[in-house]
């Protein structure tokens, strides 16, 4: 099953233009990428506009690219569908809602700065996690997060980890672990192994 969550950012690359960041307004799902229904999106264009390009589609199954058309606020996959999702999660994931607080490090000029974030982790694996969070004064994560130090409330207690950003969309951040206490690493491995 391929799911594009509401609120996620989709990037449409049109020839000769800057990439367009489009926010999905509703969750859509299908068994395969080629079967996804049209996705209602919020974008910079007005009514009657039409664009064609390559869509970077980030979904629950991973990342893929597909030809797409943006027309009147609706994004539709067109042409020959891709044969496969090009990035898949290899580690077993454990979905849930685990409260998280931490500090995000931003890659900004003239230097890096720190921002406090809070929210929850929606799934964990032995290699990384999906965080849905924002600073206290915003609905979305600031752009350019390179790593985040998180304290996550797990069933066995507080887990601290440093997470390197893999993908960041609105209030979602996917990342891989850079550092974790060995005891938490063992507890997480056991926790994910018991996901069935």
């Amino acid at each position: 099953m391929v799911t594009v969550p509401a609120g996620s950012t989709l990037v449409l690359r049109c020839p000769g233009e800057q990439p367009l960041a489009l926010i999905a307004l509703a969750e859509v799902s299908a068994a395969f990428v080629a079967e996804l229904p049209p996705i209602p999106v919020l974008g910079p264009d007005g009514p009657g506009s039409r664009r064609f390009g390559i869509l970077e589609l980030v979904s629950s199954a991973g990342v893929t690219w597909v030809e797409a058309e943006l027309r009147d606020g609706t994004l539709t996959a067109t042409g020959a569908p891709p044969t496969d999702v090009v990035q898949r999660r290899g580690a077993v994931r454990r979905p849930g809602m685990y409260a998280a607080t931490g500090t995000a490090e931003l890659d900004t000029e003239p230097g890096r700065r720190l921002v406090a974030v809070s929210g929850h982790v929606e799934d964990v694996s032995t290699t990384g996690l999906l965080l849905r969070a924002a600073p206290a004064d915003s609905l979305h994560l600031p752009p350019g997060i390179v790593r985040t130090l998180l304290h996550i409330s797990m069933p066995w207690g507080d887990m601290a980890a440093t997470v390197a950003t893999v993908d960041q969309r609105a209030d979602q951040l996917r990342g891989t672990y850079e550092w974790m206490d060995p005891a938490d690493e063992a507890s997480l491995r056991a926790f994910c192994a018991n996901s069935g």
Side-chain angles (χ1 to χ4, degrees), residues 14-46:
C14 303
E17 298 180 24
Q18 290 289 334
L20 283 177
L22 307 166
I23 308 295
L25 296 176
E27 181 177 293
V28 295
S29 296
F32 302 101
V33 171
E35 296 174 358
L36 279 173
I39 306 168
V41 294
L42 178 63
D45 294 343

Side-chain angles (χ1 to χ4, degrees), residues 24-163:
L25 296 176
E27 181 177 293
V28 295
S29 296
F32 302 101
V33 171
E35 296 174 358
L36 279 173
I39 306 168
V41 294
L42 178 63
D45 294 343
S49 64
R50 188 175 183 186
R51 296 181 192 236
F52 296 93
I54 302 298
L55 176 67
E56 179 182 306
L57 183 66
V58 179
S59 71
S60 59
V63 181
T64 193
W65 288 264
V66 62
E67 291 180 359
E69 175 188 9
L70 173 62
R71 187 174 189 176
D72 294 330
T74 303
L75 197 56
T76 307
T78 61
T83 55
D84 202 0
V85 173
V86 296
Q87 174 188 336
R88 289 195 179 272
R89 295 180 183 94
V92 175
R93 295 182 303 145
R94 186 82 187 255
M97 296 289 266
Y98 314 107
T101 58
T103 305
E105 181 182 359
L106 308 181
D107 189 9
T108 57
E109 295 298 333
R112 292 185 172 171
R113 65 185 179 102
L114 304 176
V115 175
V117 295
S118 65
H120 59 273
V121 170
E122 291 191 348
D123 70 58
V124 295
S125 74
T126 54
T127 58
L129 54 76
L130 169 61
L131 171 69
R132 190 180 289 266
D137 59 349
S138 176
L139 295 175
H140 300 292
L141 290 167
I145 295 175
V146 290
R147 74 181 43 83
T148 310
L149 173 62
L150 289 174
H151 296 276
I152 308 163
S153 297
M154 297 300 289
W156 67 86
D158 187 56
M159 178 177 88
T162 303
V163 177

